[in-house]
């Protein structure tokens, strides 16, 4: 049976660090339990130190050496490119901390409930909008300070910690600066650059850098865990450029493959100014359609749940006030859903831009005769034709245009303006 770190693809160093930390966290708990037992068993004396040593020796005997340099700490940041497995690593580590048998056996109730998202002492923040607000963060920090009901650790996982608002960041900083004794914060962010995570929060955390997993490792996990045929797995892993989740979708979802095909057809279609503008519209609209499809189901479920909750209103003196409250809740929900849709559309467009960048990267490497495998094996011939026409310089200019477009959208330039400018460069060079 694979343990909780099995899905963390190609990250041996990080897994090693996390395993050691989990072992040392388990030793801390054993130590505390032993101290407690000694304290309640009778008069406490100098034997406590001896007892602690005994506990550590026990931990070593159990194969969990307590290495002070690789020990446990209460705040962590997982960094790495999208798809490298930041949140997978955070969840796996949370499971390892809650594991009642070892350091993430994958089978015990602690591991199981953590991975299933139902452990009472593991809270997960997945921002659905473009940022995490201060209200959400304060509530979270408050709950994180309570005593873990399972007697181990209170774990708070914050995905996309780079999307914290400044006020929310400050609320988090306070908790990280004066952490409750049994609380562990696990943050996920693309990097430790000050744009992603404030310097003060960073200075309180231990960083676990993840790398872009090699395609072979991604293909292996698709085949082993998801039962994807090896040739399809290899193709999807290369096409997804190390993004594990995207590779899985490409391997399993025909619509995702169609969308990718449409994106990779763009370079061929750029035959003039009009075509460039058409391609820009098509790219943006495709991202909108994909986003709408991805949020539709959950939006509807949320609306239905809220209406059911509000339907219990009834009539009477309090009814008018209740109606006003209901309108407010409905408005809140709509705002949240809109913000989630915006983010889904941005993510979909970014995905498309990464695919396009892969194509022009293939053209650059072809023009240079570099001995590396293409990102998109299925459009390699087209990229080679482009390379002959544009030469390395022209291919590089086009690749840069795609990357600049991503950066511009990240910096809140209007999508249409950024994508149109990119398409014109992709056409003219
Ligand atoms: Zn376990």
């Amino acid at each position: 049976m694979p343990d909780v770190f099995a899905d963390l693809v190609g990250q041996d160093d990080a897994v090693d660090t996390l395993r050691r930390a989990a072992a040392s966290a388990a030793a801390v708990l054993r130590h505390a339990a032993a101290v407690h037992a000694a304290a309640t068993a009778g008069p406490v004396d100098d034997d406590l130190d001896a007892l602690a040593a005994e506990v550590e020796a026990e931990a070593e005997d159990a194969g969990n050496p307590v290495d002070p340099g690789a020990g446990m700490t209460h705040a962590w940041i997982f960094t790495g490119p999208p798809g490298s497995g930041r949140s997978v690593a955070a969840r796996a580590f949370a499971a390892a901390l809650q594991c009642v048998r070892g350091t993430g056996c994958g089978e015990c109730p602690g591991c199981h409930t953590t991975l299933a998202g139902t452990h009472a002492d593991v809270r997960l923040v997945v921002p659905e909008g473009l940022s995490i607000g201060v209200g959400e963060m304060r509530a979270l920090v408050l709950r994180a300070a309570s005593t873990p009901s399972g007697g181990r650790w209170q774990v708070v996982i914050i995905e996309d910690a780079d999307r914290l608002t400044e006020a929310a960041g400050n609320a988090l900083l306070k908790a990280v600066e004066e952490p409750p004794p049994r609380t562990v914060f696990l943050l996920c962010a693309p990097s430790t650059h000050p744009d992603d995570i404030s310097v003060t929060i960073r200075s309180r955390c231990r960083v676990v850098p993840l790398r872009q997993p090699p395609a072979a490792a991604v293909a292996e996990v698709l085949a082993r865990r998801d039962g994807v045929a090896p040739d399809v797995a290899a193709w999807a892993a290369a096409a997804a450029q190390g993004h594990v989740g995207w590779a899985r979708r490409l391997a399993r979802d025909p619509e995702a493959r169609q969308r990718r095909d449409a994106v990779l057809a763009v370079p061929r279609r750029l035959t003039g100014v009009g075509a460039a503008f058409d391609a820009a519209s098509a790219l943006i609209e495709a991202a909108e359609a994909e986003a709408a499809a991805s949020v539709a189901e959950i939006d509807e479920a949320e609306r239905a749940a809220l209406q059911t909750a509000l339907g219990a209103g009834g009539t009477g003196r309090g009814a008018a006030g209740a109606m006003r409250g209901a309108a407010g809740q409905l408005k809140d929900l709509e705002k949240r859903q809109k913000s989630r849709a915006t983010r889904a559309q941005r993510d979909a467009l970014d995905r498309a831009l990464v695919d396009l960048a892969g194509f022009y990267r293939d053209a650059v490497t072809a023009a240079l005769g570099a001995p590396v495998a293409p990102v998109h094996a299925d459009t390699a011939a087209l990229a080679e034709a482009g390379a002959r026409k544009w030469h390395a310089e022209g291919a590089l200019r086009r690749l840069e245009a795609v990357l600049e477009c991503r950066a511009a959208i990240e910096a809140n330039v209007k999508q249409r303006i950024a994508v149109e400018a990119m398409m014109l460069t992709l056409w003219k060079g």
Side-chain angles (χ1 to χ4, degrees), residues 4 95-96 98-112:
V4 294
Q98 304 294 12
C99 178
V100 296
R101 278 198 212 148
T103 55
C105 67
E107 289 173 327
C108 74
C111 286
H112 247 293

Side-chain angles (χ1 to χ4, degrees), residues 20 39 50 56 89 113 122 128 164 177 192 224-225 238 256 267 310 313 333 341 343 377 385 391 423:
R20 281 159 177 272
E56 299 208 348
T113 53
V122 179
E128 290 180 335
L164 290 173
E177 273 177 342
T192 53
R224 170 175 55 77
R225 183 190 58 194
L310 296 175
L333 178 66
R343 182 168 164 205
H391 307 291
M423 290 296 185

Side-chain angles (χ1 to χ4, degrees), residues 260-279:
R260 173 180 168 278
D261 289 347
V263 169
L264 291 178
V266 164
R268 241 181 313 139
R269 298 219 168 119
L270 296 174
T271 51
V273 182
F277 283 113
D278 287 349

Side-chain angles (χ1 to χ4, degrees), residues 137-332:
M137 185 52 65
R138 287 213 183 107
L140 191 77
V141 163
L142 205 65
R143 290 189 68 178
S146 60
T147 308
S149 61
R152 298 183 68 85
W153 306 94
Q154 279 285 4
V155 184
V156 177
I157 303 173
I158 303 176
E159 284 191 10
D160 298 321
D162 53 308
R163 284 170 164 146
L164 290 173
T165 61
E166 199 183 333
N170 288 337
L172 174 64
L173 177 62
K174 254 188 224 140
V176 172
E177 273 177 342
E178 291 165 32
R182 288 287 184 85
T183 303
V184 184
F185 289 94
L186 308 179
L187 315 184
C188 307
S191 76
T192 53
H193 188 279
D195 282 354
D196 285 339
I197 205 91
S198 85
V199 176
T200 39
I201 291 182
R202 153 80 189 86
S203 70
R204 304 279 171 168
C205 295
R206 188 153 168 211
V207 180
V208 181
L210 303 175
R211 59 193 187 122
Q212 180 170 314
V218 176
E220 190 273 325
V221 81
L222 289 184
R224 170 175 55 77
R225 183 190 58 194
D226 303 319
V228 175
D231 55 333
V232 177
W235 168 81
Q241 303 176 58
H243 192 304
V244 183
W246 182 240
R248 186 184 314 128
R249 264 183 56 199
L250 278 180
R252 299 174 57 159
D253 178 1
E255 280 181 24
R257 283 200 290 275
Q258 274 167 21
R259 279 193 292 268
R260 173 180 168 278
D261 289 347
V263 169
L264 291 178
V266 164
R268 241 181 313 139
R269 298 219 168 119
L270 296 174
T271 51
V273 182
F277 283 113
D278 287 349
S281 293
L283 202 67
I284 292 170
E285 280 154 22
E288 274 162 8
E290 183 184 346
S294 76
V295 298
E297 203 174 318
I298 180 146
D299 278 4
E300 189 44 48
E302 281 176 355
R303 234 190 326 268
L306 183 61
Q307 269 156 3
T308 309
L310 296 175
T315 55
R317 297 179 64 162
M323 283 300 289
R324 278 196 297 278
Q329 285 185 52
L330 211 58
K331 216 168 160 187
D332 275 356

Side-chain angles (χ1 to χ4, degrees), residues 16-32 55-56 59 63-73 76 93 96-97 102-103 152-153 206:
D16 188 49
T17 301
L18 296 173
R19 249 192 236 290
R20 281 159 177 272
S24 126
V28 169
L29 293 180
R30 274 196 297 270
H31 188 166
V55 169
E56 299 208 348
N64 300 327
V66 182
D67 176 352
M72 184 54 190
T73 185
W76 298 73
F93 185 41
L97 292 176
T103 55
R152 298 183 68 85
W153 306 94
R206 188 153 168 211

